[in-house]
Amino acid sequence: MVQQRADVERLPAYVQGKSLPDAVKLSSNENPYPPLDSVLVATQQRLASFHLYPDMGAVAVRERIAARHGVRPEEVAVGSGSVEVAAQLITASAGEGDEVIFAWRSFEAYPILVQVAGATAVPVPLTADERHDLDAMAAAVTPRTRLVFICTPNNPTGTVVHTDELERFLAAVPKDVLVVIDEAYVHFDTDPESADGVDFFRRHENVAVLHTFSKAYGLAGLRIGYAIASERVAANLRRVAVPFGVSDLAQTAAIASLDAEAELNARVERIVAERERVLAALRANGWKPIDSLGNFVWLRTGDRTAEIDAALREHGVVVRAFAGDGLRMTIGDPEMNDRFLAAITGITAL
Ligand SMILES: *Cc1c(COP(=O)(O)O)cnc(C)c1O
């Protein structure tokens, strides 16, 4: 038998949100709306060039992202989805024996990516109200800590980190620890007290921000995300990136999406309005979901998770189940959400 890394063979596989024929898929936090015409046309015009490698430096899209956020292109690094950029951040910061802190439960890719890099994952439990426990996270920092992920809004609980909390956290954490603010769902965040990652980046040398085109912008299948980080860190991300990881179609679609932000924001507003409608309907049915600032809602279903997940499937609705923990339902278009609400009405609330 060929020799393989034993730690790799022990890794859990990343679980993709399931789909079932004829079922409504609310399991992957995807955008329910199809690509905008303008984005489709821009990418179609580039289709005839896919015999060529893309621009490895992703110069045009990095310049466009930099202008969007008022930072320099040297402070932007792209990857094949922000999950790849998260991997770059870990690889550039932490190796064997180094520690990476994140809240738990949070984005399920974090522990896997940390283990792939050979570093040690340090999960810190959420508070009883499903929020990041920033005091406990600061207390978990040791001389071996290289990176801390802060996911806000948090996947899957939908809670956010507030400006004053993050300020206190950064004051408590050594300046040689990279703090990565994962804002995959920032467009859906309507809480005025939420920390603004890019603003923190401007004021703190050790802060990096992760953004993706997969959620609010609807480019999940094309794979492009980015980090805004200090010039030194961003250059290191480009060093560890897989060459040509971001396709020309993805770079083109990202630029076209930034050109169409007003139109995309109108869709985001519809999703946010639906989120509030779904939360209100669940509460009217006896459920007690906490507020969510993402494009999903979280139900802490504990021991009943598998049972409720199966009952929803019977009704043709697929959500994301975290065994023994809870269910995350992605907000879809009104019709999809109605199917979810109809399915859950028959299930005893808890
Ligand atoms: C979906 C998600 C991402 C990234 O998705 P990509 O498609 O790889 O850009 C990153 N962080 C969180 C918390 C997410 O939920």
Side-chain angles (χ1 to χ4, degrees), residues 103 126 130-134 137 149-154 158-169 181-183 189 191-197 200 293:
L126 296 169
E130 312 276 12
R131 309 185 69 235
H132 278 53
D133 189 341
L134 290 179
M137 291 175 78
F149 280 108
I150 307 246
C151 186
T152 177
N154 187 46
T159 52
V160 293
V161 169
H162 289 157
T163 307
D164 53 347
E165 293 176 285
L166 190 56
E167 211 72 80
R168 250 186 296 127
F169 176 76
I181 306 170
D182 186 343
E183 293 189 330
D189 183 358
D191 184 340
E193 288 178 58
S194 285
D196 173 344
F200 272 87
L293 283 309

Side-chain angles (χ1 to χ4, degrees), residues 309-328:
D309 183 39
L312 289 171
R313 269 160 207 260
E314 295 257 300
H315 289 87
V317 176
V318 182
V319 298
R320 182 78 167 84
F322 298 96
D325 219 356
L327 295 168
R328 186 195 68 199

Side-chain angles (χ1 to χ4, degrees), residues 163 167 170 196-207:
T163 307
E167 211 72 80
L170 285 166
D196 173 344
V198 178
D199 182 52
F200 272 87
F201 157 77
R202 283 204 190 86
R203 292 184 288 110
H204 298 268
E205 177 77 17
N206 62 325
V207 165

Side-chain angles (χ1 to χ4, degrees), residues 74-190:
E74 294 78 12
E75 296 169 321
V76 178
V78 296
S80 167
S82 64
V83 70
E84 201 236 339
V85 189
Q88 294 169 12
L89 283 158
I90 297 166
T91 307
S93 310
E96 184 98 34
D98 296 330
E99 295 167 356
V100 178
I101 296 173
F102 47 82
W104 198 252
R105 179 172 285 281
S106 186
F107 187 33
E108 66 174 323
Y110 299 150
I112 300 173
L113 298 175
V114 172
Q115 288 178 74
V116 169
T120 303
V122 181
V124 175
L126 296 169
T127 61
D129 53 356
E130 312 276 12
R131 309 185 69 235
H132 278 53
D133 189 341
L134 290 179
D135 291 337
M137 291 175 78
V141 173
T142 75
R144 298 315 304 255
T145 305
R146 296 290 175 269
L147 192 151
V148 182
F149 280 108
I150 307 246
C151 186
T152 177
N154 187 46
N155 174 9
T157 63
T159 52
V160 293
V161 169
H162 289 157
T163 307
D164 53 347
E165 293 176 285
L166 190 56
E167 211 72 80
R168 250 186 296 127
F169 176 76
L170 285 166
V173 169
K175 300 283 170 278
D176 62 356
V177 173
L178 184 61
V179 176
V180 177
I181 306 170
D182 186 343
E183 293 189 330
Y185 301 98
V186 67
H187 294 84
F188 305 100
D189 183 358
T190 46

Side-chain angles (χ1 to χ4, degrees), residues 15-317:
V15 181
Q16 172 161 32
K18 298 242 168 22
S19 35
L20 284 175
D22 302 323
V24 42
K25 180 173 183 259
L26 299 171
S27 53
S28 295
N29 291 349
E30 291 152 330
N31 198 306
Y33 299 107
L36 290 179
D37 283 344
S38 62
V39 177
L40 210 49
V41 168
T43 44
Q44 273 163 351
Q45 284 169 350
R46 305 291 299 188
L47 269 178
S49 309
F50 67 49
H51 59 305
L52 303 174
Y53 281 109
D55 173 15
M56 191 166 94
V59 173
V61 69
R62 281 174 45 227
E63 281 175 353
R64 194 70 175 69
I65 291 165
R68 163 73 175 74
H69 293 291
V71 301
R72 289 179 297 116
E74 294 78 12
E75 296 169 321
V76 178
V78 296
S80 167
S82 64
V83 70
E84 201 236 339
V85 189
Q88 294 169 12
L89 283 158
I90 297 166
T91 307
S93 310
E96 184 98 34
D98 296 330
E99 295 167 356
V100 178
I101 296 173
F102 47 82
W104 198 252
R105 179 172 285 281
S106 186
F107 187 33
E108 66 174 323
Y110 299 150
I112 300 173
L113 298 175
V114 172
Q115 288 178 74
V116 169
T120 303
V122 181
V124 175
L126 296 169
T127 61
D129 53 356
E130 312 276 12
R131 309 185 69 235
H132 278 53
D133 189 341
L134 290 179
D135 291 337
M137 291 175 78
V141 173
T142 75
R144 298 315 304 255
T145 305
R146 296 290 175 269
L147 192 151
V148 182
F149 280 108
I150 307 246
C151 186
T152 177
N154 187 46
N155 174 9
T157 63
T159 52
V160 293
V161 169
H162 289 157
T163 307
D164 53 347
E165 293 176 285
L166 190 56
E167 211 72 80
R168 250 186 296 127
F169 176 76
L170 285 166
V173 169
K175 300 283 170 278
D176 62 356
V177 173
L178 184 61
V179 176
V180 177
I181 306 170
D182 186 343
E183 293 189 330
Y185 301 98
V186 67
H187 294 84
F188 305 100
D189 183 358
T190 46
D191 184 340
E193 288 178 58
S194 285
D196 173 344
V198 178
D199 182 52
F200 272 87
F201 157 77
R202 283 204 190 86
R203 292 184 288 110
H204 298 268
E205 177 77 17
N206 62 325
V207 165
V209 183
L210 266 183
H211 282 178
T212 177
F213 284 91
S214 297
K215 311 284 163 56
Y217 294 89
L219 303 185
L222 278 177
R223 313 306 302 131
I224 179 164
Y226 60 94
I228 296 176
S230 70
E231 193 171 332
R232 174 166 162 249
V233 169
N236 287 338
L237 300 184
R238 287 193 284 279
R239 285 191 176 95
V240 301
V242 174
F244 306 109
V246 184
S247 72
D248 182 63
L249 294 180
Q251 296 183 34
T252 302
I255 293 171
S257 299
L258 290 171
D259 287 341
E261 267 201 301
E263 228 178 317
L264 289 166
N265 286 342
R267 291 176 161 192
V268 166
E269 277 172 32
R270 289 213 289 279
I271 293 169
V272 166
E274 279 293 295
R275 175 184 78 204
E276 299 308 313
R277 181 175 77 89
V278 168
L279 283 169
L282 283 168
R283 286 168 184 148
N285 262 300
W287 294 85
K288 297 181 188 65
I290 52 166
D291 286 333
S292 169
L293 283 309
N295 66 338
F296 50 85
V297 299
W298 172 244
L299 293 173
R300 187 158 285 276
T301 43
D303 293 343
R304 285 185 61 202
T305 300
E307 166 217 329
I308 295 171
D309 183 39
L312 289 171
R313 269 160 207 260
E314 295 257 300
H315 289 87
V317 176

